[in-house]
Each structure stands twice: as C-alpha cells, then as structure tokens.
Amino acid sequence: MISENERLDILLRSLLSERPEYSRIKIPATIKEKRDLLRALMNVRTPAPVADDIMKLQDEELALQREEKGVVTLDSIPASPLDPRLRLWQGDITRLQVDAIVNAANSQMLGCFVPLHKCIDNAIHSAAGMELRHECDRIMHEQGHDEPTGKAKITPGYNLPAKWVIHTVGPIVYGPYPTEEDCRLLADCYRNCLALADEHGLSSIAFCCISTGEFRFPQAKAAEIAVDTVRKYLGDHPDCPVSAVVFNVFKDEDYSLYKKLLHYE
C-alpha cells in the first residue's frame, strides 16, 4: 500500500500532464501544499472521464480527508423545539451524513472553477471528487440549456458522506432589496429540492443558505423563506418520506437567525 505522499504525487503528475501550460508547475513538498494543489487542479479541470487507476487513488485520498474532518450524523444534531422534523447545524456541509445535501449552484451547474474558492459549490465538488462535475456535465448536455432559477437536479454524492447532492440555482438580488419574484424563486428552490427528495424516497436532507452569499439575498429574509417553505411543503405533503431537514449554516449571523426561527432559544 502506498503512502499518502506517494498517492498525491501520482495524482498531481496525472492532472498536471493533462495541459501543456502546467509543465512549469512543480509538485510541492508538504502534504498540505500537495492537497491544495490537487484541489485547485480539480477545481479548474474541465469535465472529462478519468482513468480508473487515477479515480481509485482520488477516492482513497478523499476518503482519508473525509475521515480527518469527521462525519456528522443526524443523531448528533438536536431536533428543533418548533418542529421535530427540523434541525440546525453550523459547520462544513460536506461532513453531514444525510441522504442528500443541497448545493447552491450556478446556472451552468458544473461547480466553481475558481481554484480554492470558499463558496459552497467549490467545497462540495472538491469533497465529492471529479466524478461529480462529469455527471453534472452529462445532465446539462442532455438538458441542452442552462438550469433555470428555482429548479433542481439530483446527482450521486460520490465521496461525500451524503448519498446524494441536490443542486439548485437561487435568485441573484441586483438591488438593495429582493423583489417579490426573487422571494418566489427562492421558495421554489426549497420546494423543488424537497420534491426531488420526495420523488427519490429520501428521509433526510440538509439545506445550505441558498443565495445568501455571492447572490446577495438578505440573510434574515432568506432564513424566513427557508423555514416557512419547508414547513409548508411538509404540511402539504403528509406522505413525504422526508422526516429530517437540517438547516446547515456556516456564518454566526445565520446561526443566530435560524436559532430564533427554530425556537432553540
């Protein structure tokens, strides 16, 4: 069995060999630097098949990183006093072991191409592996057009603890306040994600804070729409198999907003 150092070297040599302009890039010395370079190369790589031996090494590396981060199960997240089906958790969504996590995607649905970007789209694709972009590309080619705002698509989770990823495109807020249409489209994101979970018989789903980052939807209003829409959908669909909905937040401000809305305090 090869060491992680050797595994990273093989992966980096393989990805660096794919483009002639990478010939000047030297493989760094430390594990952290090698991991960062691997993630950056995965981020900018165009969708394409990967050789089975390289994919096996990638999966081994991402499994190790998943183990190091630690997997968070539903049992460790207390239910909301407002509604026992709802839960709140602050942290990296790629650690959650649920049936599906929701990705705030863009209309191309191929993930973030900015190396090491801090957005959730980048984090999810980086943790899932190169298979995810390839599968998203297949879906988009089959569809033949960009993904409309408010709609959703489902893919396997690959190297994530989650079995599935549901990708949705939230509205972009261009003015100081969201319009009625922006609010309707954001609610559509939550409804359509739940409908896909319902269709696939999933019992748990974790939502990120859709549209509140670079798409500039105000956090407080987005949180209200999220909680209200989820509760209404579950109330309107009593046969829906979803029994646990996690609102995953990263920022302290979002945590405070959802904590109040879900009656944790």
Side-chain angles (χ1 to χ4, degrees):
M1 185 173 180
I2 65 174
S3 67
E4 183 187 12
N5 212 31
E6 293 170 317
R7 179 169 61 238
L8 286 168
D9 284 349
I10 295 170
L11 287 167
L12 290 171
R13 284 196 295 268
S14 175
L15 293 183
L16 288 170
S17 71
E18 292 184 341
R19 293 170 66 169
E21 60 266 35
Y22 292 163
S23 60
R24 294 183 181 180
I25 299 177
K26 303 299 181 185
I27 295 177
T30 69
I31 292 290
K32 183 185 183 307
E33 289 172 324
K34 289 179 181 182
R35 286 182 173 186
D36 284 347
L37 178 57
L38 176 63
R39 176 171 175 171
L41 291 170
M42 289 167 60
N43 293 160
V44 300
R45 188 178 188 270
T46 55
V50 181
D52 289 344
D53 58 335
I54 297 300
M55 191 61 68
K56 181 175 182 294
L57 292 175
Q58 177 218 245
D59 292 349
E60 289 174 358
E61 176 60 29
L62 294 180
L64 175 62
Q65 294 184 28
R66 182 179 67 233
E67 183 180 347
E68 289 178 358
K69 287 191 296 186
V71 172
V72 177
T73 63
L74 275 175
D75 292 342
S76 65
I77 306 172
S80 161
L82 173 69
D83 186 327
R85 298 168 297 186
L86 309 184
R87 306 178 190 216
L88 173 63
W89 186 75
Q90 183 177 23
D92 179 357
I93 199 170
T94 68
R95 296 178 58 199
L96 287 175
Q97 189 176 65
V98 290
D99 283 347
I101 60 172
V102 172
N103 179 29
N106 57 46
S107 60
Q108 286 75 46
M109 291 272 289
L110 296 179
C112 173
F113 281 83
V114 179
L116 307 179
H117 196 250
K118 300 295 186 182
C119 71
I120 194 167
D121 200 9
N122 189 298
I124 289 174
H125 275 263
S126 297
M130 292 180 279
E131 303 101 316
L132 182 55
R133 178 169 286 168
H134 190 213
E135 174 62 9
C136 287
D137 183 60
R138 183 196 66 76
I139 291 171
M140 296 308 289
H141 267 93
E142 186 176 287
Q143 177 166 285
H145 57 81
D146 285 354
E147 183 73 356
T149 302
K151 302 298 184 182
K153 292 287 188 293
I154 189 168
T155 65
Y158 298 104
N159 290 289
L160 292 161
K163 298 174 186 176
W164 303 91
V165 180
I166 298 178
H167 310 258
T168 190
V169 182
I172 301 173
V173 176
Y174 291 101
Y177 305 105
T179 63
E180 288 186 11
E181 179 69 357
D182 292 331
C183 294
R184 183 188 68 79
L185 288 169
L186 183 60
D188 283 348
C189 289
Y190 287 92
R191 278 191 291 267
N192 285 318
C193 287
L194 285 168
L196 271 178
D198 193 344
E199 179 185 336
H200 285 76
L202 308 186
S203 63
S204 58
I205 182 172
F207 283 102
C208 62
C209 299
I210 302 166
S211 278
T212 60
E214 295 189 5
F215 285 10
R216 299 182 297 276
F217 207 106
Q219 291 159 269
K221 184 63 176 176
E224 289 177 12
I225 291 171
V227 173
D228 289 347
T229 305
V230 168
R231 294 192 74 205
K232 187 173 189 311
Y233 183 94
L234 295 178
D236 290 344
H237 299 81
D239 295 330
C240 177
V242 175
S243 58
V245 176
V246 179
F247 293 102
N248 168 251
V249 301
F250 196 75
K251 298 176 181 177
D252 290 341
E253 181 180 349
D254 289 314
Y255 183 74
S256 296
L257 289 167
Y258 278 94
K259 193 174 179 183
K260 291 177 181 176
L261 286 169
L262 296 173
H263 295 189
Y264 281 100
E265 57 179 29

